[in-house]
Amino acid sequence: MTSSQTMQPTEIAADHALAMPAHVDHSHLVVADLPMVSTWYQRIMGLKPLETSASGETLGVGGRPLLTLTTSGDARKAPRNAPGLFHTAFLVPNREELGRWLAHAAHNNVGLQGASDHLVSEAIYLADPEGNGIEVYRDRPRSEWNFKPDGTVGMDTLPLNLQALYDEVPKDEWHGMAQGTGIGHIHLQVSDIPEADAFFRDVLGLGLMARYPGASFFGSGKYHHHVAANIWNSRGAPKRETQMTGLSDYTIQFKDATERARAVAKLDTLGIAVDRNGDTYSLVDPWGIGLKLAA
């Protein structure tokens, strides 16, 4: 790939999702119609092209790569119950930026799938033209989060008043996602929740921050979640096949290489093959989803 922009550092708060000991850094989707999907992410999601190659593009915000799109002639459409992506969640800096994106989406007649107040955050849900789930959200200050004695955090799914959010923001021209936007979390479809708990908590070292019926939420540094896993569509489903559209892989970035090494060692005890390419370790998780561990 050839880079067209360089990374621009952005100051983030010490308790921000991306400042934690581990966070999701990147998502990689396989799509059927690359030009159409890429144009949509640029026009509707406000991502900017950063790198291009013969088989794909990497898009991001402020020079930060967030989403790689590639295409493959032999990829078949993933069935709805296949393990893989539930949604990629784009974390915007504040409520005003969430509202400004909402106004942009409304003015472009974008169909939304839902909007929720999760107590720790406010979120809007939609899908890209090929059905890949997306969340756009803002976090409430941690001082407003309710941590329980067992270390989990109080979360709920309450209605979000989209009209109020729309009404309170300026309707000036929107030029894309604001500087500082990142992937706050990734939500996956898996086959089994106890297996997900064992993988993300016991092997990768993420804290179990919340449970819903059929779902677990895992976070680093007491963040409400960097990774979620549910079985709502995919309970007991077989492993994802390699040549499928949708989520090919995603990257978890560790601040401390020692913590990453600890996770890699535990993967070895499970017999999960790990490949090293430079400073990145790559593997396929128990559900056939690609995962890269960087530090």
Side-chain angles (χ1 to χ4, degrees):
M1 284 191 171
T2 57
S3 177
S4 60
Q5 295 188 27
T6 56
M7 179 73 177
Q8 301 171 11
T10 303
E11 287 191 19
I12 57 175
D15 61 356
H16 191 277
L18 305 186
M20 295 301 95
H23 69 271
V24 176
D25 188 57
H26 200 93
S27 180
H28 171 200
L29 303 179
V30 174
V31 299
D33 188 333
L34 177 63
M36 182 266 291
V37 175
S38 177
T39 298
W40 187 89
Y41 274 99
Q42 292 176 56
R43 185 173 67 88
I44 301 303
M45 298 305 299
L47 306 185
K48 307 296 185 187
L50 302 180
E51 298 178 343
T52 59
S53 73
S55 62
E57 297 182 3
T58 294
L59 310 174
V61 175
R64 180 193 295 275
L66 299 180
L67 180 67
T68 293
L69 303 171
T70 59
T71 191
S72 173
D74 56 356
R76 69 181 186 89
K77 183 174 175 59
R80 184 171 180 266
N81 70 332
L85 185 70
F86 193 67
H87 58 242
T88 301
F90 295 93
L91 173 60
V92 298
N94 50 51
R95 181 175 164 89
E96 179 177 329
E97 290 300 335
L98 182 64
R100 294 188 75 240
W101 177 82
L102 172 64
H104 164 72
H107 298 162
N108 283 273
N109 299 312
V110 175
L112 302 180
Q113 296 179 333
S116 298
D117 180 344
H118 293 303
L119 304 183
V120 295
S121 63
E122 294 179 313
I124 302 171
Y125 298 95
L126 68 158
D128 74 16
E130 295 194 358
N132 296 295
I134 296 168
E135 174 181 339
V136 184
Y137 78 110
R138 72 99 179 183
D139 277 331
R140 283 198 167 92
R142 285 210 194 195
S143 59
E144 298 179 16
W145 299 7
N146 177 29
F147 287 97
K148 302 176 183 179
D150 64 359
T152 60
V153 65
M155 295 173 62
D156 205 338
T157 300
L158 306 174
L160 177 63
N161 187 334
L162 288 178
Q163 188 63 54
L165 179 62
Y166 176 88
D167 289 344
E168 70 185 53
V169 299
K171 308 304 186 294
D172 54 350
E173 189 174 357
W174 190 76
H175 296 289
M177 286 290 189
Q179 184 89 357
T181 297
I183 296 181
H185 65 267
I186 195 162
H187 194 145
L188 306 174
Q189 296 194 157
V190 301
S191 309
D192 182 77
I193 291 300
E195 190 175 34
D197 293 348
F199 184 75
F200 292 108
R201 178 189 60 197
D202 303 337
V203 174
L204 296 187
L206 301 179
L208 180 60
M209 297 305 298
R211 284 194 189 278
Y212 280 13
S216 290
F217 298 78
F218 309 93
S220 173
K222 306 297 287 183
Y223 186 64
H224 56 74
H225 67 295
H226 289 98
V227 178
N230 78 63
I231 56 170
W232 300 329
N233 300 316
S234 52
R235 181 194 300 269
K239 276 189 175 184
R240 179 181 185 82
E241 297 175 15
T242 53
Q243 294 301 324
M244 279 183 174
T245 59
L247 183 65
S248 172
D249 59 80
Y250 64 102
T251 302
I252 294 179
Q253 179 81 31
F254 289 81
K255 268 190 171 181
D256 185 347
T258 303
E259 291 300 315
R260 197 262 306 265
R262 185 174 291 118
V264 170
K266 290 183 178 179
L267 288 165
D268 189 54
T269 66
L270 291 182
I272 294 178
V274 179
D275 295 323
R276 182 169 185 173
N277 182 8
D279 198 38
T280 300
Y281 292 84
S282 300
L283 62 127
V284 177
D285 74 14
W287 312 281
I289 304 166
L291 172 59
K292 295 180 179 179
L293 305 178

